[in-house]
Amino acid sequence: MVESEKMGGVKRFRERDEAPFAGDHKKQRGGVQFKYGNEREQFKDQKFTRGRGRGGVIQGGSWGRGRGRGSHGVDRGGKMEGLGKMEESVEILNEVTGRHKEMKERKERRKHREGQGGQAMLIQKAKTVWEEARRKKCSVEKRNELVEDIVSMAASKMKELSLCHDSSRVLQCCLRFGNKNQRQQILSELTPDILLLSKSKYGRNVILKLMKYERRNAVLQVLKAVRGNACRVLRHSCASTVLQTAWENGSATERHQVLGELYGKTYSLLMQDPEKCLGLQAFKGVPHFGTVLEDLRKLLLSLTSKETLLGFSLVHHLLLDFLENSDSTMRSEMIESVRETCVYMVHTKNGARAAMMCLWFGTAKDRKVIIKTMKTYVEKIATDEFGHLVLLAAFDCVDDTNILAKIVVAELIAAVERLIWDKRGRKVLLYLLQPRHASHFAPSLVSFLIKGDVNPNSKKEASRRHSELRTATWPGVAAFAASVVPALAQSPGGAPLLAALVESASNAGDEGEHDARPIIEAIAKAAAVEFVPGGVDGELHMAEHPAGHLLLKRLLKVEGGRQTELASRLLANVGPESLARWSFVNRGAIVLCCFLKHSPPSATSSVVSALKSLVPQLEAKLSSQPSNCQSLPSGNPAVKATGERTMMNGGIAALLQNLGQKGLK
């Protein structure tokens, strides 16, 4: 009886596990039966097979013995061979265990969803409809129907749906494709829980989408919800984004109310008009000003420890107001706390100004840290609307020009091909070549940069500092500019850069100074193209181009040893006869006037001789000028010379006057 039961168990075991061996069950060991003893050696190298119990393992010659149902049996008494095979078996076990844990976690999540009652089924149905509604191929009519279905089935459950990852995406899709009534329905249901949803990782995305698509109504509700909790909301990692977005889209009165709350309780008590926030400047002489300043200092120190918050324009406004109105001690403390993250706030107007103040009033160590944080971001900062002003401030105050040359100037030179065509990047290059030059920088910008000249930490003379930076910048910019002179000469922004390169270069013969002759030669060759009045295929000649003729005029007026060099190169490349033909267009005549006025007689004599034969044609062109064209003032020299008050050919009139003074007319 016992023997038959045992045989039946072995048979069932073999059928279940599909054992590859057959034989006398009495000689079975470890779940495998051998009829003869030498069969053990024959199958000793078997890599992996089943043991006696569930999960039994045989590893590279070590035969496993089952340790009960569901356990992993390993025979530790046998001699273990092949560590590589053993490690592979362990990896298999770990993989099986990992899958088991993953399945267990999925089961627990499923139970959690089922325990939520009808909400899990609602999410599943909404996601099914959402998958069809968010497709690009879905028609507008069909999408409107699907959105209406989602909104109707999610009624009174939108708060719970906003707190989940997948269902919050469904509501965002409804806000994107829904109509005004559907958006208003979602907003009205979520209004009581705006503060709670703003602090949620997924709920804040729904609030942000509400402010994006519902605009004014959603902004009003958000600002109303955060009133009285602005400081705590601004410190929150998730809710701070909601407050920043609402503050940017709010009216002036609403922005002032938020700022007044952030300045602290003392400020709110002292502020007479809650609809106007005049900042710290309005309370600078008040006895409680120190308390207000201390409250703002504590708030800013808690905010500057988080890099993400330093990207908000709301924080930039508070920081700039604090730096402008605090004393030197508190300002130094604040600069030290933000110097390593200063690069994150240069993209806004107030943030860039705050960064400029950190450079102006920071110590040499503070400035060094700020410059180092700009590494790999210099090109992006140079092309930013406000960030490029921070670089200009650094060029004005940082005495360590070596670190500026290694980090800032080096990256600018590496990206010169892109910066030279960008209006802000080009302005940074121009500031390195000709700082605060009236031709390139507006008086308002220069007056703002002058505020940093009185800082107490800059010891080096400004002329020496700019000279060292120019020495590091000029070769790289000039090398690239010389290769694209024709394109730059006919660009409204590129022509001034060529002029700045030539003007900022010193005499070529002096030791250690720059040679502008390659640029001048390239300009002369570009001007040697055949002159055709009106241009060819829409491309004007340099002498007739609005930017090109100003470049030639400006370079001919340059004082120094190169003032005759451009004239001589023009004569060599263009020729006197071709130069004289420039006089048939007004801008070309203006260039010739500068040529005759600022070049020596040795260079102008041949051009004057060529112009002598063209005087009758020029006078005939002036006489054929329409009478209804705009006129010059009566006191203009061109009017006295020609007797006509024409503006269209004022350059030709001035050229004839110049020739008349030379006795050729």
Side-chain angles (χ1 to χ4, degrees):
M1 185 70 178
V2 176
E3 187 69 22
S4 61
E5 291 178 358
K6 186 181 297 186
M7 292 179 62
V10 172
K11 183 177 181 181
R12 286 194 302 273
F13 169 74
R14 288 177 183 159
E15 291 176 353
R16 183 189 66 211
D17 289 343
E18 298 179 0
F21 308 108
D24 190 359
H25 66 276
K26 295 182 179 180
K27 296 185 179 180
Q28 179 185 358
R29 290 178 56 86
V32 180
Q33 180 179 359
F34 296 98
K35 187 173 183 179
Y36 303 102
N38 57 359
E39 291 185 8
R40 177 183 297 274
E41 297 296 332
Q42 181 179 353
F43 297 99
K44 187 175 182 180
D45 295 332
Q46 181 70 25
K47 191 172 184 181
F48 181 84
T49 185
R50 295 184 179 273
R52 183 171 179 177
R54 288 187 181 178
V57 177
I58 301 175
Q59 299 177 350
S62 297
W63 296 90
R65 181 184 298 275
R67 299 192 179 184
R69 297 178 62 84
S71 64
H72 300 281
V74 178
D75 183 8
R76 302 182 182 274
K79 203 170 186 181
M80 305 183 78
E81 298 178 1
L83 293 177
K85 298 179 181 180
M86 180 174 168
E87 291 176 357
E88 185 175 355
S89 300
V90 173
E91 291 178 1
I92 295 174
L93 289 175
N94 292 337
E95 183 180 356
V96 172
T97 306
R99 288 199 301 267
H100 176 69
K101 290 182 179 179
E102 183 180 356
M103 293 298 295
K104 187 176 181 180
E105 291 175 358
R106 290 182 181 179
K107 186 176 180 180
E108 291 177 355
R109 289 196 298 267
R110 191 185 308 113
K111 287 183 178 180
H112 176 70
R113 289 195 298 267
E114 292 174 355
Q116 293 177 346
Q119 183 177 335
M121 299 299 297
L122 173 63
I123 294 175
Q124 192 64 30
K125 291 180 181 178
K127 286 172 62 178
T128 303
V129 181
W130 169 61
E131 285 292 341
E132 185 177 356
R134 71 192 186 108
R135 294 176 181 174
K136 292 183 179 180
K137 296 182 180 180
C138 184
S139 62
V140 178
E141 295 78 8
K142 181 64 175 178
R143 183 180 287 124
N144 292 336
E145 296 177 1
L146 296 175
V147 171
E148 182 64 31
D149 294 342
I150 296 175
V151 173
S152 60
M153 73 173 65
S156 71
K157 294 283 187 178
M158 292 184 181
K159 172 189 171 183
E160 292 78 7
L161 298 181
S162 300
L163 295 174
C164 300
H165 172 259
D166 46 2
S167 55
S168 67
R169 298 287 299 274
V170 176
L171 289 181
Q172 293 175 50
C173 180
C174 294
L175 290 172
R176 178 183 177 184
F177 298 113
N179 55 37
K180 185 176 181 180
N181 295 332
Q182 294 166 348
R183 293 170 180 170
Q184 187 62 35
Q185 180 181 349
I186 297 174
L187 175 61
S188 59
E189 186 169 340
L190 295 181
T191 296
D193 304 297
I194 284 180
L195 193 58
L196 173 64
L197 296 175
S198 300
K199 297 179 180 181
S200 170
K201 181 179 179 181
Y202 307 116
R204 68 162 182 177
N205 295 326
V206 178
I207 303 300
L208 291 174
K209 286 295 187 295
L210 274 171
M211 288 189 287
K212 179 179 179 180
Y213 297 112
E214 192 56 23
R215 298 285 183 183
R216 186 63 187 157
N217 295 333
V219 170
L220 286 174
Q221 295 299 332
V222 171
L223 292 176
K224 183 179 178 181
V226 301
R227 190 172 300 167
N229 301 283
C231 292
R232 286 185 292 176
V233 171
L234 187 58
R235 291 191 185 99
H236 198 277
S237 58
C238 293
S240 57
T241 309
V242 176
L243 178 58
Q244 165 66 21
T245 306
W247 185 79
E248 284 183 341
N249 294 279
S251 63
T253 301
E254 295 161 355
R255 289 160 66 97
H256 291 162
Q257 290 176 352
V258 175
L259 289 173
E261 186 176 344
L262 293 175
Y263 277 110
K265 296 181 179 179
T266 306
Y267 185 91
S268 301
L269 294 174
L270 295 175
M271 188 170 54
Q272 298 178 356
D273 189 357
E275 295 185 356
K276 292 184 179 180
C277 179
L278 303 178
L280 298 177
Q281 185 66 30
F283 299 94
K284 203 163 186 179
V286 178
H288 299 283
F289 176 74
T291 306
V292 176
L293 199 63
E294 180 64 21
D295 293 342
L296 183 57
R297 185 189 72 86
K298 292 180 180 178
L299 175 65
L300 288 174
L301 289 177
S302 64
L303 297 177
T304 53
S305 60
K306 302 177 182 180
E307 295 180 1
T308 55
L309 298 182
L310 281 179
F312 294 162
S313 58
L314 176 57
V315 179
H316 301 166
H317 183 97
L318 299 173
L319 181 60
L320 177 61
D321 198 10
F322 180 84
L323 293 175
E324 289 179 342
N325 297 282
S326 59
D327 56 13
S328 58
T329 304
M330 300 180 74
R331 182 191 295 149
S332 300
E333 179 188 9
M334 188 59 62
I335 291 174
E336 185 177 355
S337 66
V338 301
R339 65 188 183 185
E340 295 183 356
T341 54
C342 204
V343 70
Y344 297 113
M345 59 183 185
V346 299
H347 61 281
T348 65
K349 181 178 180 180
N350 291 332
R353 293 192 175 189
M356 294 169 74
M357 291 200 67
C358 291
L359 285 169
W360 287 339
F361 298 100
T363 61
K365 183 177 180 180
D366 296 334
R367 294 171 176 175
K368 186 175 181 180
V369 172
I370 293 174
I371 296 300
K372 283 187 175 181
T373 57
M374 294 182 182
K375 194 172 184 179
T376 70
Y377 300 109
V378 174
E379 181 184 354
K380 188 175 182 179
I381 296 173
T383 56
D384 188 76
E385 180 182 2
F386 305 107
H388 75 281
L389 300 177
V390 180
L391 295 180
L392 305 188
F395 300 151
D396 283 339
C397 67
V398 177
D399 290 338
D400 191 356
T401 55
N402 290 328
I403 191 172
L404 282 175
K406 290 179 180 179
I407 296 179
V408 179
V409 177
E411 291 192 26
L412 291 176
I413 298 301
V416 67
E417 185 176 357
R418 296 179 293 276
L419 295 177
I420 209 167
W421 302 111
D422 184 85
K423 62 179 182 179
R424 300 184 184 97
R426 188 167 54 244
K427 188 173 292 188
V428 174
L429 298 176
L430 286 170
Y431 201 84
L432 287 167
L433 298 172
Q434 290 181 320
R436 301 182 185 178
H437 196 280
S439 300
H440 314 304
F441 304 99
S444 58
L445 176 59
V446 174
S447 61
F448 179 72
L449 293 173
I450 290 176
K451 296 179 181 179
D453 294 344
V454 296
N455 71 86
N457 298 319
S458 296
K459 307 300 180 183
K460 187 180 291 187
E461 294 183 2
S463 58
R464 181 184 172 188
R465 185 187 306 110
H466 289 304
S467 177
E468 293 173 354
L469 291 174
R470 187 186 303 113
T471 302
T473 307
W474 199 94
V477 179
F480 177 76
S483 63
V484 291
V485 162
L488 288 175
Q490 297 193 6
S491 170
L497 181 64
L498 287 176
L501 284 169
V502 176
E503 292 174 355
S504 61
S506 302
N507 293 332
D510 297 340
E511 183 179 356
E513 297 176 344
H514 310 302
D515 183 9
R517 285 178 294 184
I519 298 177
I520 295 175
E521 181 67 24
I523 293 174
K525 289 182 179 179
V529 179
E530 182 182 359
F531 176 74
V532 178
V536 179
D537 297 333
E539 295 184 5
L540 297 174
H541 189 272
M542 184 186 295
E544 194 178 359
H545 194 274
H549 90 282
L550 291 177
L551 172 64
L552 294 173
K553 179 181 174 182
R554 180 174 172 179
L555 292 182
L556 287 169
K557 291 181 178 180
V558 174
E559 297 180 359
R562 288 184 307 280
Q563 65 175 354
T564 59
E565 187 173 347
L566 179 59
S568 63
R569 300 318 303 162
L570 285 174
L571 282 175
N573 289 273
V574 182
E577 291 77 11
S578 297
L579 278 174
R581 294 185 67 247
W582 291 4
S583 60
F584 287 106
V585 295
N586 188 54
R587 290 167 179 161
I590 294 174
V591 175
L592 288 176
C593 287
C594 294
F595 184 90
L596 298 176
K597 183 177 180 180
H598 298 284
S599 300
S602 60
T604 59
S605 58
S606 58
V607 179
V608 170
S609 301
L611 285 170
K612 184 177 180 179
S613 60
L614 301 178
V615 170
Q617 301 179 36
L618 296 176
E619 290 178 343
K621 186 170 184 177
L622 278 179
S623 62
S624 63
Q625 179 68 37
S627 58
N628 60 350
C629 66
Q630 293 180 343
S631 60
L632 290 169
S634 58
N636 192 283
V639 175
K640 297 178 181 178
T642 61
E644 299 181 7
R645 302 180 61 190
T646 62
M647 183 176 182
M648 186 175 294
N649 292 321
I652 297 177
L655 179 60
L656 289 175
Q657 180 193 14
N658 197 332
L659 293 175
Q661 293 175 355
K662 295 179 181 295
L664 297 179
K665 182 182 176 184

